[in-house]
Amino acid sequence: MSICAIITIGLFLSGIFAGSTAQRGDSAAITITPAEPLMGGEAVLSCNFHLPEGERWLEVTWKKDGIGIFRLSRKDRKKTVLRGSPIPSGRMDLENAPEHSLHITSVEPQDSGRYQCIVGYGDDMYGETIMNVLVPPSSPIITPSIENGKIVERDLLTLTCESLNGSPPANVTWWFGEQMFTNATYTMDEMGTGKSVITLKAQEYQNGRPFICKAWNRALPENEPIVAELIADILFTPRATITPASEDVIEGQSISIECSLRGRPSDYREVQWIKDGTVLDTPQLAQTLELPDVSRTSSGQYRCSAQNSLSWGPQSNDFSLTVMYVPSVTLLLEGLNITTRKEGDQIALQCIVDAVPEANAYSWSHAGVTVAGADQPIFGINSVVKDSRGIYQCTGNNTVASAMSNTFFLDVEYLPRAALFSEQAVDGVVTVIESEGATVNATCVLDANPPSDQVQWFRDGAQITGEESATISVAGITREQAGLYTCKGVNSLGVGEASSSVQLIVQYAPEQLQLMPQEHVAVAEGQKIPVSFTCSAESVPEPQYNWLYGEEILAENSATLQFEGAITRDRKGMYSCQAANALGQITGAVEVSVLYHPSCVTPLSEYVGKIGDVVVLRCEVDASPSQVEFRWTVDGEEVSEHADKELVSEVTVELQQLSDFKEYHCQAKNKLGTGVEPCVIQLFEIATALPASPVDCDYIALPTSINITCKEGQAAGSQQHYVVLSRAGREMARSLHPDFYIVAEPQKLYHLDVLAVSGLGNSSRVSLSILTPSIEAPKPLMSQAALIGVVIAAIIIVFIIIIVIVFLSQKKKKVNKANYSLREGERKNEPPLLARGAEEGNATPSDRNANNSLYTGGETRGNSITEHKAPLAPLAPPED
């Protein structure tokens, strides 16, 4: 590179790296807008300065490369173009530009250089900068090393590309398609020329395709270089191609293989066909290879090649010809070729298929039936079983067809299989009744290879000795012969597995009943029986259990009886368990004793006698346990002499005087303790007179009932009670005291007798005649005539009110007021309510009866009754 080029480039770069400003001194600077003006565009150079304080500028002068351009005087504010200015005034804007600025309106390449602005103020101040003008490069020029632009492949080719007059010089690059050549040599000079040179070996694929040269500098838009192309004409030997690259045909069909050629020049002189590396005998220019009636030996790799005026070209790609044919299938047994195997052995059968294309599916059949899931060339059985015996075949499939192999017979030896049958069995069960002495027959059917020569019989797993035939007969069946019967077969391989079983069930009625607890349970009254009762018996079929208390069923179909709550003495006795099946039943019982304190059979007993008599007083108790001790007392003192026998105790009393007639107490004790209440025995003197009649009898008669109250007469020394009789002799009421309540009918006369009754007879009668009142309907409070009078008076009052209202309405003409007065008048003149309430409440009964008050019925009293006692239980209505 020349020294001038280096100086130019250095000047250019210094302008770039210095930026758009430079200065001399500290207070003047030049700014270029834009920083790198484009040729034909505008450029504004601004002079910016700062004078010392108090100073004013007098003139501003612009220079380029030391030659004056114009001067600006402060005095007249005019820009004067200087003689010999490097920039003509026609390319400057002297009027509209800023005062201190240099405005170039049409930039040219020669405007590049060093610019100064000189500010005069009594002293001079300088500012300077370098301006570079951008100039687009010229279109690239491509120069090949071959004058006619043609070359033979593998020859060296040199390409040169130049772009002139660029500022800065263009960057020149070489491209082929989208790939840039990185090995090109680039140079530039001070005249703005950029050049790129590349040397390469010509290739066949480059023929007819462009080599691209791109030139770009900053004067051009980003990514928009100036482009030139060179399309090379490259000569090359023939290129052969076979498409498609492979083909499948079925044996016996025909095929044509095409060889496509591409060469420059295309003056083909000979074509060759090669199969698996061997040149075939074909016509000299046969671009099509005809193969009629192909066989499996026609399969292979085929190629072709051709020769033009340059030479032979390379061989084509491989063409793969596959001749497909129907499978040939052979079945073999892997390992020892022994067709008989024992159960449990392993075997593997192999399906060998000769086919093109290779077999893509396999299937296996056994005894003519396809084996599910067997789709591999090897069919294995890990453990041969009886059912593995039979004929096997395999089938091979490809896309042409399918074929079946030879047959293979597999014989399997196995231990005997036994099956037990009995015509008397139902679902494998034979049921007989022991008492009938039945006979049962069973047959053992065997399946074995080799055949079985012996049978073994078993009951509940134990072999029955002496039985080896295929049929067994059991006569006179007893329960000991019941059980599960099975059989086994024996052959040369050994003893086979047991057959399915036949169960022999021997039925009998329940026996050997067992109870828990066994016989007797004692529990205190009020306590819960602490244990459950259970019952078991032996029978076939199993018995059903019922627990009973007398005829009452306590637990049905349950062998267990559970007790809930406390027991009472009325639940003592025998609790029975009944075990039964269809053949009979058996019963057992547990006795339950309820223990309780002694209690009196008769809490209150009465004895009578007269002085001189000897009376035997009897005290009887109920107790469990029944071993009791008695204690008698009278007037708080113990009676020492008494005769006791089990639950009865007697005391003999000699009646010598009236004081011997007393109340005796008897109390018993057993191991649980003493009874809660003593037995009371009263001893009365026999009366000598009849009972006295009741006195002062009074009654209250209502429409449906009669209450009678009397006072007791003089006691006669004997227990007595009171009755009310009708005159016909019918008993109407009975009471220990002379107070009676009798159901009656309204408006009926009753003739009644009241008397006292004792063991000696009846008292005289007190006779009463009683008439029950009727049930009366309520009477009106006002007569009909009075009611009519009230209505007439109300009508007259209303008529007067209407006349007053009409008069007022005519006078005041206010309808609403008149209506209001009418309503007020109606309320004030409303007739009074009938008398009721307090007047009725204050009326006496006699007043009510006299005035026919609203009572539903009257009441009749006898004598003066001031007390009303609660009535006794009512009897039926009396009969007169």
Side-chain angles (χ1 to χ4, degrees):
M1 184 180 294
S2 67
I3 296 176
C4 293
I6 294 174
I7 293 174
T8 302
I9 294 171
L11 180 62
F12 180 80
L13 295 177
S14 65
I16 295 175
F17 291 111
S20 60
T21 64
Q23 68 179 34
R24 178 180 180 185
D26 295 330
S27 300
I30 298 175
T31 302
I32 303 175
T33 304
E36 290 184 315
L38 184 63
M39 182 182 71
E42 296 184 357
V44 177
L45 288 77
S46 301
C47 184
N48 304 308
F49 54 86
H50 180 70
L51 298 176
E53 186 175 356
E55 296 290 340
R56 294 191 306 170
W57 67 275
L58 299 177
E59 62 180 10
V60 174
T61 302
W62 279 92
K63 293 183 178 182
K64 175 182 179 296
D65 297 330
I67 301 173
I69 301 173
F70 71 80
R71 179 179 294 118
L72 172 65
S73 173
R74 181 183 182 86
K75 182 176 181 180
D76 53 11
R77 302 286 180 170
K78 289 185 178 181
K79 296 178 181 178
T80 302
V81 178
L82 300 178
R83 182 179 299 175
S85 171
I87 301 176
S89 59
R91 290 198 297 113
M92 290 189 293
D93 184 359
L94 301 176
E95 301 297 332
N96 300 318
E99 190 173 40
H100 305 138
S101 299
L102 170 60
H103 183 190
I104 304 174
T105 58
S106 179
V107 178
E108 295 183 356
Q110 60 269 25
D111 292 340
S112 296
R114 184 181 300 274
Y115 287 80
Q116 291 177 315
C117 71
I118 305 168
V119 181
Y121 62 96
D123 196 358
D124 289 339
M125 180 178 293
Y126 294 87
E128 66 178 36
T129 188
I130 295 175
M131 184 176 76
N132 294 312
V133 178
L134 298 181
V135 180
S138 63
S139 296
I141 300 172
I142 299 175
T143 304
S145 59
I146 303 299
E147 293 182 0
N148 58 6
K150 293 184 180 180
I151 191 171
V152 178
E153 64 176 335
R154 291 189 296 276
D155 286 351
L156 289 179
L157 174 65
T158 299
L159 301 176
T160 301
C161 181
E162 289 182 310
S163 178
L164 308 176
N165 302 322
S167 177
N171 180 32
V172 181
T173 56
W174 278 103
W175 297 74
F176 188 81
E178 297 296 326
Q179 184 178 4
M180 184 179 74
F181 290 103
T182 59
N183 58 344
T185 301
Y186 171 77
T187 60
M188 64 179 178
D189 58 24
E190 68 278 5
M191 301 304 294
T193 300
K195 182 169 64 175
S196 180
V197 180
I198 184 171
T199 300
L200 50 85
K201 182 181 291 188
Q203 303 291 334
E204 170 270 333
Y205 72 88
Q206 296 166 343
N207 178 62
R209 297 179 61 188
F211 289 90
I212 301 172
C213 175
K214 297 180 181 181
W216 181 88
N217 68 1
R218 292 195 303 278
L220 298 174
E222 188 74 19
N223 297 324
E224 293 185 14
I226 301 175
V227 177
E229 294 183 353
L230 172 67
I231 297 178
D233 184 9
I234 300 175
L235 303 179
F236 55 92
T237 58
R239 299 300 194 266
T241 305
I242 301 176
T243 56
S246 64
E247 193 166 346
D248 297 339
V249 296
I250 298 175
E251 192 172 27
Q253 294 180 343
S254 299
I255 185 174
S256 297
I257 306 173
E258 294 290 336
C259 181
S260 298
L261 299 177
R262 182 175 57 86
R264 186 168 177 81
S266 58
D267 53 345
Y268 308 124
R269 300 179 178 181
E270 186 177 354
V271 177
Q272 284 185 342
W273 286 94
I274 303 100
K275 175 182 181 292
D276 297 331
T278 301
V279 177
L280 300 179
D281 185 11
T282 58
Q284 184 175 358
L285 289 175
Q287 289 187 238
T288 300
L289 177 63
E290 299 289 347
L291 297 177
D293 192 19
V294 296
S295 64
R296 63 190 65 183
T297 59
S298 301
S299 296
Q301 302 297 320
Y302 289 80
R303 291 184 180 183
C304 65
S305 65
Q307 181 187 31
N308 65 3
S309 58
L310 294 179
S311 181
W312 281 96
Q315 291 184 356
S316 69
N317 59 295
D318 284 333
F319 172 81
S320 178
L321 176 63
T322 301
V323 179
M324 301 181 294
Y325 50 88
V326 175
S328 174
V329 186
T330 304
L331 191 154
L332 297 177
L333 176 64
E334 289 187 345
L336 298 176
N337 193 19
I338 301 175
T339 60
T340 300
R341 296 295 175 92
K342 290 183 175 61
E343 195 170 32
D345 289 350
Q346 290 184 345
I347 67 166
L349 301 177
Q350 185 175 9
C351 189
I352 300 174
V353 179
D354 176 21
V356 174
E358 292 183 355
N360 56 9
Y362 297 85
S363 62
W364 292 84
S365 65
H366 174 216
V369 179
T370 301
V371 180
D375 57 1
Q376 299 299 318
I378 301 295
F379 177 69
I381 304 177
N382 291 329
S383 179
V384 172
V385 296
K386 168 199 167 185
D387 293 337
S388 303
R389 186 174 185 268
I391 294 174
Y392 290 84
Q393 277 185 296
C394 72
T395 301
N397 300 268
N398 67 2
T399 56
V400 178
S402 64
M404 186 172 290
S405 71
N406 55 300
T407 60
F408 174 83
F409 178 78
L410 176 64
D411 188 17
V412 179
E413 293 183 341
Y414 50 91
L415 292 170
R417 266 90 163 154
L420 183 56
F421 296 95
S422 174
E423 293 182 355
Q424 298 159 281
V426 177
D427 294 332
V429 178
V430 177
T431 304
V432 298
I433 298 175
E434 184 179 35
S435 59
E436 296 178 353
T439 298
V440 175
N441 299 313
T443 301
C444 187
V445 179
L446 299 174
D447 175 20
N449 185 24
S452 176
D453 52 12
Q454 183 184 352
V455 178
Q456 296 178 350
W457 289 91
F458 299 84
R459 180 176 61 241
D460 294 333
Q463 187 172 358
I464 303 173
T465 58
E467 294 289 348
E468 294 184 355
S469 63
T471 301
I472 187 173
S473 179
V474 183
I477 297 294
T478 64
R479 70 186 66 177
E480 288 77 15
Q481 292 168 312
L484 286 175
Y485 284 79
T486 57
C487 64
K488 297 179 181 179
V490 182
N491 66 2
S492 60
L493 300 180
V495 180
E497 294 182 355
S499 68
S500 57
S501 62
V502 171
Q503 183 179 13
L504 176 60
I505 298 176
V506 181
Q507 296 183 338
Y508 54 92
E511 299 176 352
Q512 301 180 16
L513 184 70
Q514 293 185 355
L515 300 173
M516 288 298 292
Q518 294 183 351
E519 296 180 355
H520 182 266
V521 173
V523 61
E525 187 175 33
Q527 300 294 319
K528 179 181 177 181
I529 296 179
V531 296
S532 299
F533 292 0
T534 58
C535 178
S536 64
E538 293 183 4
S539 73
V540 177
E542 288 287 331
Q544 288 187 340
Y545 297 93
N546 293 325
W547 279 95
L548 300 93
Y549 179 70
E551 297 297 326
E552 178 186 357
I553 298 176
L554 302 179
E556 190 172 10
N557 296 329
S558 175
T560 301
L561 174 61
Q562 295 181 335
F563 294 89
E564 300 291 339
I567 194 167
T568 58
R569 66 189 67 182
D570 60 338
R571 302 298 287 180
K572 66 182 178 181
M574 305 302 291
Y575 287 77
S576 302
C577 174
Q578 185 182 82
N581 65 10
L583 302 180
Q585 70 178 37
I586 186 172
T587 303
V590 177
E591 182 181 5
V592 175
S593 297
V594 181
L595 306 180
Y596 48 88
H597 294 78
S599 61
C600 300
V601 175
T602 305
L604 176 63
S605 302
E606 295 179 353
Y607 288 84
V608 294
K610 60 182 182 297
I611 295 176
D613 288 346
V614 176
V615 180
V616 177
L617 305 180
R618 178 184 174 90
C619 176
E620 183 177 359
V621 297
D622 180 19
S624 179
S626 59
Q627 293 75 29
V628 298
E629 297 178 1
F630 287 94
R631 180 175 180 270
W632 287 78
T633 60
V634 60
D635 294 337
E637 296 183 0
E638 186 173 354
V639 178
S640 59
E641 294 183 3
H642 46 85
D644 302 336
K645 184 177 181 182
E646 294 183 355
L647 297 174
V648 177
S649 178
E650 296 178 344
V651 170
T652 302
V653 180
E654 295 181 3
L655 300 174
Q656 299 177 355
Q657 53 189 355
L658 289 176
S659 60
D660 291 335
F661 293 95
K662 297 182 178 180
E663 183 176 273
Y664 288 79
H665 288 186
C666 167
Q667 206 159 17
K669 176 183 178 182
N670 63 5
K671 70 176 184 179
L672 297 182
T674 304
V676 178
E677 296 291 339
C679 304
V680 179
I681 300 149
Q682 294 179 338
L683 181 56
F684 296 100
E685 180 186 8
I686 297 176
T688 58
L690 295 175
S693 300
V695 297
D696 298 335
C697 290
D698 199 356
Y699 66 87
I700 297 176
L702 298 175
T704 58
S705 65
I706 300 173
N707 291 305
I708 300 175
T709 302
C710 302
K711 295 181 181 178
E712 294 182 356
Q714 182 67 36
S718 179
Q719 182 70 30
Q720 64 186 30
H721 58 275
Y722 300 88
V723 297
V724 177
L725 300 177
S726 69
R727 292 292 170 84
R730 179 186 174 193
E731 185 176 298
M732 305 294 290
R734 175 188 294 268
S735 175
L736 292 176
H737 303 282
D739 295 321
F740 308 97
Y741 172 80
I742 301 172
V743 177
E745 297 178 2
Q747 197 68 35
K748 186 172 182 180
L749 179 63
Y750 290 88
H751 299 286
L752 304 175
D753 293 331
V754 183
L755 65 154
V757 179
S758 72
L760 298 178
N762 302 334
S763 70
S764 59
R765 301 188 179 194
V766 177
S767 297
L768 300 173
S769 293
I770 303 172
L771 177 62
T772 56
S774 62
I775 301 176
E776 299 181 1
K779 296 182 179 180
L781 298 177
M782 185 179 295
S783 67
Q784 183 175 4
L787 181 60
I788 294 173
V790 171
V791 172
I792 293 173
I795 294 173
I796 293 172
I797 292 171
V798 171
F799 181 72
I800 294 171
I801 291 172
I802 293 173
I803 293 174
V804 173
I805 291 171
V806 172
F807 175 76
L808 293 175
S809 63
Q810 291 177 353
K811 183 178 181 180
K812 296 182 179 181
K813 304 298 182 179
K814 295 182 178 179
V815 176
N816 291 337
K817 181 64 177 179
N819 292 337
Y820 177 79
S821 299
L822 175 61
R823 290 192 295 271
E824 285 297 309
E826 289 174 349
R827 284 195 289 271
K828 290 178 181 180
N829 292 281
E830 188 179 28
L833 296 174
L834 298 179
R836 55 192 176 119
E839 295 179 1
E840 290 180 2
N842 295 330
T844 64
S846 60
D847 294 334
R848 295 191 192 98
N849 291 334
N851 295 321
N852 294 320
S853 65
L854 293 174
Y855 271 66
T856 58
E859 175 183 281
T860 305
R861 292 175 178 266
N863 296 332
S864 176
I865 303 300
T866 58
E867 181 181 2
H868 181 77
K869 296 184 178 180
L872 299 175
L875 299 175
E879 295 179 359
D880 197 359

